[in-house]
Amino acid sequence: MSASAPDPEPAGPQSAAGPVPLVLAGRRARPPRHLADLPPAERRAVVAGLGQPPFRASQLSRHFFGRYTDQAGEMTDLPRAARDPLAQALLPRLLTAEQELSCDGGTTRKTLWRTFDGTLVESVLMRYPDRVTMCVSSQAGCGMACPFCATGQAGLTRNLSTAEIVAQVVAGARDLAGGQVPGGPGRVSNVVFMGMGEPLANYASVVAAVRRLTEPVPDGMGISQRSVTVSTVGLVPAIARLAAERLSVTLAVSLHAPDDGLRDTLVPVNQRWKVAEVLAAAWDYAAVTGRRVSVEYALICGINDQAWRADALGSLLAGRLAHVNLIPLNPTPGSKWTASRPAVQDEFVRRLAAHGVPVTVRDTRGREIDGACGQLAAADLR
Ligand code: SAH
């Protein structure tokens, strides 16, 4: 599984001669190669190419995935002369924090990252009493154009590399381990691909990132596969492909409407893959993995919150290995839509429950820092 490995000669932003043009030979430059892009055998090959014994690849990997550092000076188990060449070859700095916003007493933190080519992406860390969830971006922007989502309004800038995705989680893990998040030193327990982007539209990089996040240290970060959630608008062939990966990750499907008429407008990709096809793919995923599928439903006042739609949704999901996550709409700038009224939301919950469908209302953390679902727009606020 190395489909996400970048080109052999990645074009970094700097060289001895100064900045390198970002578009080379008419195509966009790729992020610099990083060990998190590579399966362990390929890391060893790069290390061997530098004239170093292959086991140094494990040492470097342990620094990054287990100690969350890419600083050559801290790698005292490596010979002094080898530290810089190894770190430069396999641990380039991919993300620079441009801005950090926090709320909930510092336990919800959104970071705006600048990548090697100036592209901006965001990640959110949410600490709860029993877990820490990192919400990561898989693309800069998004091409899916859902009209209620801030990211969808901006369009797609580019896919993130595997290492750019993993680096968001490593950064959160570093701050937690260092005690910089209120609540004492901690670990990242959960990762949700619910930041910017459609993860299954950047399939190879996302699946490789899941492997890096979940392989045990030193090969990866050692997070449990069951604690990783991949959320999708419903790209049916990619859902089938994901089922065949034999990963125990949770699939979340952003349904938002039980009927094609409305879903065609709320999730435009529905014009290609209809509700019935998306749910059929989801049930296949549940059957293959044994994992309960999470059905995401943003409740939008007067649009998709009618009692009859709750019943229609309940009928579609009754008896299935599924769980509904209702998300009160987080209004985005300029949107005329608002969240459903509390009584309407309660009735929606009641009707789903009456169909025997498990349902929870998501605690939408981070609204005040535009860090809640659908609010990530990577606006440069300086
Ligand atoms: N592209 C993926 C991941 C995106 S975000 C997907 O669509 O699943 C994660 C969830 O937040 C999705 O269910 C998305 O539809 C939802 N969402 C987007 N904008 C929202 C908003 N303004 N309020 C509430 N939920 C929103």
Side-chain angles (χ1 to χ4, degrees):
M1 237 319 301
S2 62
S4 67
D7 290 350
E9 57 287 88
Q14 306 104 23
S15 77
V20 173
L22 292 179
V23 177
L24 300 172
R27 74 182 172 83
R28 195 185 277 275
R30 299 276 197 96
R33 176 191 60 198
H34 187 285
L35 64 78
D37 290 314
L38 308 175
E42 290 183 31
R43 295 175 212 165
R44 286 192 289 276
V46 172
V47 167
L50 291 170
Q52 289 290 320
F55 68 84
R56 301 238 181 274
S58 291
Q59 290 177 296
L60 283 174
S61 299
R62 187 177 295 280
H63 281 296
F64 185 69
F65 291 121
R67 302 194 185 100
Y68 319 123
T69 185
D70 52 13
Q71 299 297 303
E74 294 174 14
M75 302 180 186
T76 51
D77 56 341
L78 300 178
R80 195 174 290 274
R83 287 177 205 164
D84 280 336
L86 285 171
Q88 276 164 20
L90 282 166
L91 290 168
R93 177 56 63 92
L94 297 174
L95 303 178
T96 308
E98 277 289 308
Q99 190 184 49
E100 204 139 72
L101 295 173
S102 63
C103 59
D104 302 322
T107 59
T108 302
R109 308 190 333 166
K110 179 173 84 166
T111 308
L112 175 69
W113 301 104
R114 184 176 293 277
T115 67
F116 82 105
D117 62 357
T119 302
L120 300 172
V121 293
E122 294 179 324
S123 63
V124 184
L125 180 154
M126 290 161 282
R127 184 170 210 168
Y128 300 88
D130 59 333
R131 66 187 193 282
V132 179
T133 300
M134 285 289 309
C135 177
V136 297
S137 294
S138 56
Q139 298 181 309
C142 185
M144 298 299 132
C146 302
F148 55 91
C149 175
T151 313
Q153 305 319 297
L156 176 66
T157 303
R158 69 168 170 86
N159 283 334
L160 298 187
S161 68
T162 298
E164 286 175 319
I165 298 169
V166 172
Q168 298 168 52
V169 182
V170 167
R174 181 188 304 129
D175 287 353
L176 278 161
Q180 288 170 45
V181 181
R187 297 170 50 86
V188 175
S189 53
N190 297 68
V191 177
V192 296
F193 284 81
M194 294 187 182
M196 300 170 72
E198 164 51 40
L200 295 188
N202 183 15
Y203 186 89
S205 293
V206 165
V207 168
V210 170
R211 295 193 191 284
R212 296 298 106 72
L213 295 173
T214 59
E215 281 158 358
V217 177
D219 293 342
M221 289 186 78
I223 294 169
S224 155
Q225 287 184 2
R226 292 165 168 263
S227 305
V228 174
T229 299
V230 174
S231 182
T232 179
V233 288
L235 305 184
V236 166
I239 294 174
R241 224 176 132 191
L242 187 65
E245 300 283 350
R246 305 239 154 260
L247 294 165
S248 297
V249 301
T250 300
L251 178 72
V253 172
S254 297
L255 202 64
H256 305 313
D259 52 309
D260 288 320
L262 179 57
R263 195 169 191 270
D264 279 349
T265 63
L266 291 183
V267 185
V269 79
N270 195 72
Q271 293 163 29
R272 175 70 181 80
W273 291 291
K274 299 294 176 194
V275 170
E277 294 171 89
V278 172
L279 289 180
W283 308 148
D284 284 347
Y285 186 89
V288 168
T289 61
R291 306 286 299 150
R292 192 165 75 158
V293 172
S294 181
V295 173
E296 312 291 293
Y297 200 103
L299 278 175
I300 312 175
C301 182
I303 302 290
N304 65 351
D305 62 354
Q306 302 83 356
W308 73 264
R309 282 204 163 90
D311 286 332
L313 183 63
S315 306
L316 286 175
L317 306 187
R320 299 294 188 174
L321 199 54
H323 159 265
V324 176
N325 224 315
L326 293 176
I327 317 171
L329 183 80
N330 295 301
T332 55
S335 166
K336 52 188 184 306
W337 290 335
T338 57
S340 301
R341 286 182 293 116
V344 171
Q345 177 177 303
D346 291 348
E347 180 61 10
F348 207 93
V349 170
R350 199 190 64 73
R351 290 192 180 233
L352 286 174
H355 282 85
V357 176
V359 52
T360 48
V361 178
R362 184 176 294 165
D363 148 35
T364 59
R365 281 234 197 168
R367 274 194 189 204
E368 50 281 57
I369 54 171
D370 284 347
C373 305
Q375 294 188 315
L376 303 186
D380 194 343
L381 301 174
R382 288 170 313 153

